[in-house]
Amino acid sequence: MYALRLGSKRFVAASKVLQPHSARAPAALSLVSRRNNGHVYDKRNYIPEKDDYNVSPTARPWDHFTLRLNQNRHRRWGQYMLWFFTLYLFWGWFKFMVPRQALNKVEKWDYQAKYWRDGYWIREFPEGLVIKEWANGKVSVEPGQSSRDSLPVRILNKIFFVRDCKG
């Protein structure tokens, strides 16, 4: 604000000095027009209660610790560390996760070789598939089933929390 007032005074004074007396232009045509210096401009954010009475402390000067850590050498070292840790993260991924994924794939092959039988999972049919021959002579491949208790016995077992007690 003060610089604008000072600059406008000097421009107006310089324009008056450079012109001859007879051709002296009015103040409106000078380089920067003269302002009413008694008026305070730009009070858009000015709140008297806050700005005049609640004076807060000014910003502290930079302390030694901040000045040391903001040197180019320290900032460059921080960038090196950022790159180092990023590369270390990728190295860790490829060192540990990629071989683990390959081992998981091999383990999946082993699981399939152990538990996959002729188009079905062993867990799906724990008693396997059996060939059943019917009285009319037709043959079908069906899941094997063991004998079950009757329905009333199963209901009572559910009520009294009796598990499979066939020894």
Side-chain angles (χ1 to χ4, degrees):
M1 186 72 190
Y2 180 71
L4 180 63
R5 279 183 21 201
L6 183 65
S8 64
K9 283 182 182 178
R10 290 194 181 177
F11 280 132
V12 168
S15 65
K16 288 181 182 177
V17 168
L18 294 177
Q19 292 177 353
H21 270 302
S22 60
R24 199 173 268 187
L29 296 177
S30 63
L31 219 53
V32 176
S33 63
R34 180 181 288 272
R35 306 176 90 174
N36 182 4
N37 293 335
H39 180 70
V40 179
Y41 290 97
D42 198 16
K43 283 191 153 188
R44 285 174 288 195
N45 297 350
Y46 179 72
I47 303 170
E49 292 81 17
K50 282 176 66 177
D51 295 336
D52 290 342
Y53 301 115
N54 299 335
V55 179
S56 60
T58 58
R60 294 183 321 216
W62 294 103
D63 58 341
H64 179 70
F65 181 72
T66 307
L67 288 174
R68 286 286 306 268
L69 287 183
N70 280 327
Q71 291 175 351
N72 284 339
R73 181 174 52 132
H74 287 281
R75 286 188 292 165
R76 188 178 307 122
W77 185 83
Q79 293 295 319
Y80 291 153
M81 286 294 105
L82 184 68
W83 276 105
F84 173 75
F85 288 126
T86 303
L87 292 175
Y88 182 72
L89 184 72
F90 281 113
W91 175 80
W93 170 263
F94 283 107
K95 177 84 168 99
F96 298 106
M97 297 305 288
V98 172
R100 181 181 295 174
Q101 289 172 357
L103 292 175
N104 284 343
K105 189 182 289 186
V106 172
E107 186 177 347
K108 182 180 175 184
W109 293 340
D110 291 343
Y111 183 84
Q112 288 174 351
K114 189 174 181 182
Y115 295 108
W116 182 256
R117 294 283 183 271
D118 301 325
Y120 67 94
W121 292 104
I122 292 177
R123 184 176 178 189
E124 193 174 355
F125 305 113
E127 298 180 14
L129 290 176
V130 294
I131 298 173
K132 288 190 177 180
E133 187 173 346
W134 301 91
N136 60 3
K138 294 197 175 190
V139 177
S140 67
V141 178
E142 295 181 2
Q145 293 181 359
S146 59
S147 62
R148 293 172 64 177
D149 294 329
S150 65
L151 183 60
V153 171
R154 285 184 297 183
I155 291 174
L156 288 172
N157 286 346
K158 283 274 191 195
I159 291 173
F160 294 108
F161 299 103
V162 177
R163 295 265 177 186
D164 189 18
C165 56
K166 292 184 180 175

